[in-house]
Amino acid sequence: QVQLVESGGGSVQPGGSLRLSCVASPNAYSRVCMAWFRQAPGKEREGVAAFLILAGSTYYADSAKGRFTISADNAKNTVYLQMNSLKADDTAMYYCAADCPGSHNPPSDGGIWYPQNKNWGQGTQVTVSS
């Protein structure tokens, strides 16, 4: 059974930080790539950070560059997203998936990419508000 469990969200003030975690079942975790997506109310789900684990590289949408850091622990089938300098625009439900941008799914404007993945966890809510 494919299972993804995201956690670590919460309510913070602008400028604050959060660290999200995603624990994946063995058949949901990819040692090739893992990524974080987010979906704000009324908007499409979009990719913001990807860890190309096999290549040892990361990719960020423009909105996440310089503020978010993705990492992974293969031994724990876990991927993390450290989010600093949070803004109101970061308010969204956050999800993880083995679904990275590439030639098969090139990034669009702002460096974001849209998921092809069909299996999702429950997500974790991030709310940034003063």
Side-chain angles (χ1 to χ4, degrees):
Q1 182 180 357
V2 173
Q3 190 172 19
L4 296 154
V5 180
E6 298 91 351
S7 63
S11 295
V12 296
Q13 293 185 340
S17 298
L18 284 172
R19 187 188 192 217
L20 307 184
S21 298
C22 169
V23 180
S25 59
N27 58 354
Y29 187 84
S30 170
R31 281 165 171 71
V32 175
C33 86
M34 291 295 293
W36 283 94
F37 293 80
R38 68 184 183 188
Q39 187 167 17
K43 294 188 177 181
E44 284 189 83
R45 192 167 300 184
E46 61 186 32
V48 294
F51 189 6
L52 308 176
I53 301 171
L54 201 59
S57 62
T58 55
Y59 174 88
Y60 299 95
D62 291 351
S63 59
K65 283 179 183 176
R67 302 187 301 124
F68 293 5
T69 303
I70 187 171
S71 61
D73 186 336
N74 285 342
K76 297 180 179 179
N77 288 355
T78 300
V79 60
Y80 305 97
L81 186 67
Q82 177 67 43
M83 305 189 296
N84 299 326
S85 302
L86 284 162
K87 308 174 182 178
D89 287 348
D90 296 318
T91 296
M93 190 72 82
Y94 284 72
Y95 305 86
C96 70
D99 191 350
C100 296
S103 57
H104 64 292
N105 188 13
S108 96
D109 291 346
I112 61 174
W113 73 101
Y114 299 103
Q116 298 178 332
N117 176 61
K118 303 298 182 186
N119 296 302
W120 299 98
Q122 83 290 347
T124 186
Q125 176 68 40
V126 171
T127 302
V128 184
S129 172
S130 56

